[in-house]
Amino acid sequence: VQLQASGGGLAQAGGSLRLSCVASGFTLDLYALAWFRQAPGKEREAVSCISSTPGTTYYADSVKNRFIISRDNGKNTVYLQMNNLEPEDTAVYYCAAALPIRFLISTEEHDYAFWGRGTQVTVSS
């Protein structure tokens, strides 16, 4: 059972990156999914979440109207399209999966059973 995140890298402010997270060993269609990030010296925070059934998403205020989360259950993959990047977006980004037993989506780390290793995003000014 594994989540593998990719797509990070170096971007200039105002640029775009798309993160991908593919699951192996299990299917994502029943899971709520999320992207978290951790910047140097800061706690990990929820960036965006998406429910197992279509229609419910969450975005942190800092990324609203810039980032878009989506999922392709056929490809067992969740994406994070990041537009108009800012230097403050620099962080390691993690994907996570949770069985939505008590919630539709969650921003709480402890609700997520499966985590990817993280992919570094660096935004230069």
Side-chain angles (χ1 to χ4, degrees):
V1 174
Q2 187 176 1
L3 290 172
Q4 182 64 51
S6 62
L10 178 63
Q12 290 188 334
S16 298
L17 287 173
R18 188 175 83 153
L19 305 184
S20 300
C21 177
V22 60
S24 58
F26 70 111
T27 56
L28 289 179
D29 55 337
L30 295 179
Y31 287 79
L33 305 171
W35 288 94
F36 288 76
R37 70 184 180 186
Q38 187 167 22
K42 294 187 177 181
E43 294 186 352
R44 190 154 58 182
E45 63 173 348
V47 175
S48 185
C49 312
I50 187 168
S51 58
S52 58
T53 53
T56 301
T57 56
Y58 161 87
Y59 295 95
D61 287 344
S62 58
V63 307
K64 273 180 185 174
N65 302 315
R66 299 190 298 121
F67 289 11
I68 301 170
I69 191 170
S70 62
R71 61 192 297 158
D72 186 335
N73 291 337
K75 294 184 178 180
N76 225 22
T77 301
V78 58
Y79 303 98
L80 187 68
Q81 178 67 43
M82 305 187 296
N83 301 319
N84 195 19
L85 284 162
E86 302 172 352
E88 292 74 22
D89 296 320
T90 296
V92 178
Y93 285 71
Y94 301 88
C95 55
L99 279 174
I101 296 173
R102 296 177 295 104
F103 50 84
L104 203 55
I105 57 174
S106 173
T107 60
E108 300 295 326
E109 289 186 48
H110 60 78
D111 285 327
Y112 290 86
F114 302 112
W115 290 82
R117 283 191 177 182
T119 184
Q120 176 71 47
V121 171
T122 303
V123 183
S124 62
S125 57

